[in-house]
Amino acid sequence: MSVGLLAVVDDILTAALKASAKTAGVVIDDAAVTPQYVQGLSPARELPIVWRIALGSLFNKFVIIIPLALLLSAFAPWVLPWLLIIGGTYLCFEGAEKVTEWFGVHHGTDDTEMRDERKLVFGAIRTDLILSTEIMLIALAGLDPDFGIWMTLGALVVIGLGMTALVYGAVALLVKIDDIGLTLMKHPVRRVRRTGARIVRSMPAVFRVISVIGTVAMLWVGGHLVIVNLNDTIWSVPYDVLHAVTQAVERAGPIIAWVTDTAMSLVFGLILGLIIVAALSGISRLRKQNRSHRVTA
């Protein structure tokens, strides 16, 4: 009995490891996006906020995503591409909004609102829901369809726990590196103090780079989600163009093909996101004009 149980556990862990390998890109995106949400907070609140976001991520995976994915894959698989299109579109919008902010466009959010912990945590968990959905759906697609419901569930549970620990462990380390540097600066050895000082000085630049990587990741992942799932539903043109271009550069090597695929997905995501940002900005202006007309009337 125990040998049979160990064999089942081994099968689940092996399948989970193989399926997880396919989600590596999205996991990196998730780890790059999340640190943006704790910038501007006091150091004492950084780890508690990361912990709350990690708990929200576990809620996303085990209460929403895994049950829904299993139910839909069994009874309504045609719904999954539409959910991914919606999620990808939201990522494109959020990424494009951040790009416009780099060029001085503000979207009506002041510093006080940005530092509201509840809104920060909600925003991070909302973004995690989309990224975690892609992680778990990619993992689900990578599992053997003949695995059985309980083995599939076991593998998804292992993947969910492992990915959450990996992503938010990395995020916690990133946001506390400056504190490590400050501690090193108090060390009696001069060389160690210098290392600590370099770490502290480098952190603003590190977080700027992480912010850019996170924004690019949202546009890339969002654009790719929309392209692939539009092809599975109603519109194949973007995917056909992407496929044709990547095939044309395949002779240059898999790395060039991957970079081309990523760049085209990013550009598509940025264009889609900018269209949504412009549309929402126009609607917002019309509402403000209507309000001002009502006040003057």
Side-chain angles (χ1 to χ4, degrees):
M1 183 69 178
S2 60
V3 175
L5 180 60
L6 287 174
V8 170
V9 171
D10 182 65
D11 289 343
I12 289 174
L13 292 177
T14 302
L17 184 61
K18 290 180 180 178
S20 298
K22 299 181 180 181
T23 68
V26 189
V27 171
I28 294 170
D29 300 339
D30 205 354
V33 168
T34 306
Q36 302 176 56
Y37 291 97
V38 297
Q39 291 184 47
L41 298 176
S42 65
R45 296 302 304 154
E46 289 174 345
L47 287 183
I49 292 299
V50 172
W51 175 243
R52 288 171 62 186
I53 297 171
L55 290 178
S57 179
L58 288 173
F59 180 89
N60 286 340
K61 291 180 177 74
F62 293 111
V63 178
I64 301 174
I65 299 170
I66 292 178
L68 190 60
L70 290 175
L71 286 172
L72 290 178
S73 62
F75 300 106
W78 59 270
V79 175
L80 294 176
W82 291 104
L83 293 177
L84 289 172
I85 289 173
I86 294 170
T89 301
Y90 173 77
L91 283 179
C92 294
F93 159 70
E94 194 170 65
E97 194 174 51
K98 291 181 183 296
V99 170
T100 59
E101 288 173 359
W102 295 347
F103 295 93
V105 178
H106 299 285
H107 300 282
T109 302
D110 56 26
D111 292 337
T112 302
E113 184 179 347
M114 285 301 292
R115 295 175 189 229
D116 184 289
E117 288 189 4
R118 287 180 300 175
K119 291 179 179 177
L120 286 172
V121 171
F122 177 76
I125 293 174
R126 182 180 56 195
T127 300
D128 173 90
L129 176 62
I130 298 167
L131 292 171
S132 291
T133 297
E134 189 186 14
I135 289 172
M136 301 312 295
L137 290 182
I138 290 174
L140 178 61
L143 294 173
D144 188 340
D146 299 325
F147 217 26
I149 183 66
W150 295 112
M151 296 279 282
T152 300
L153 177 60
L156 291 178
V157 167
V158 170
I159 292 168
L161 288 173
M163 292 305 176
T164 303
L166 177 64
V167 168
Y168 291 99
V171 170
L173 179 61
L174 281 171
V175 301
K176 299 309 290 183
I177 285 179
D178 54 347
D179 291 346
I180 296 172
L182 289 171
T183 301
L184 293 177
M185 288 173 66
K186 300 174 183 178
H187 198 276
V189 178
R190 186 178 180 185
R191 185 178 298 176
V192 176
R193 291 200 303 271
R194 286 182 175 177
T195 300
R198 291 193 189 100
I199 291 173
V200 172
R201 286 197 301 269
S202 68
M203 287 317 296
V206 168
F207 274 104
R208 282 196 295 272
V209 171
I210 288 173
S211 177
V212 172
I213 291 173
T215 300
V216 169
M218 283 191 284
L219 292 170
W220 161 37
V221 174
H224 193 74
L225 273 174
V226 174
I227 289 173
V228 171
N229 288 283
L230 276 178
N231 180 63
D232 292 337
T233 51
I234 57 172
W235 192 33
S236 64
V237 173
Y239 181 84
D240 291 340
V241 173
L242 178 65
H243 184 64
V245 173
T246 52
Q247 270 195 326
V249 299
E250 271 184 353
R251 292 182 179 178
I255 294 177
I256 299 298
W258 179 84
V259 170
T260 302
D261 183 295
T262 300
M264 292 183 67
S265 297
L266 189 153
V267 171
F268 179 88
L270 178 60
I271 293 172
L272 175 60
L274 289 174
I275 291 171
I276 297 170
V277 169
L280 293 178
S281 297
I283 293 171
S284 178
R285 283 195 296 268
L286 286 174
R287 286 180 176 175
K288 288 179 181 178
Q289 290 175 359
N290 290 334
R291 287 173 191 163
S292 62
H293 286 318
R294 289 174 186 172
V295 171
T296 53

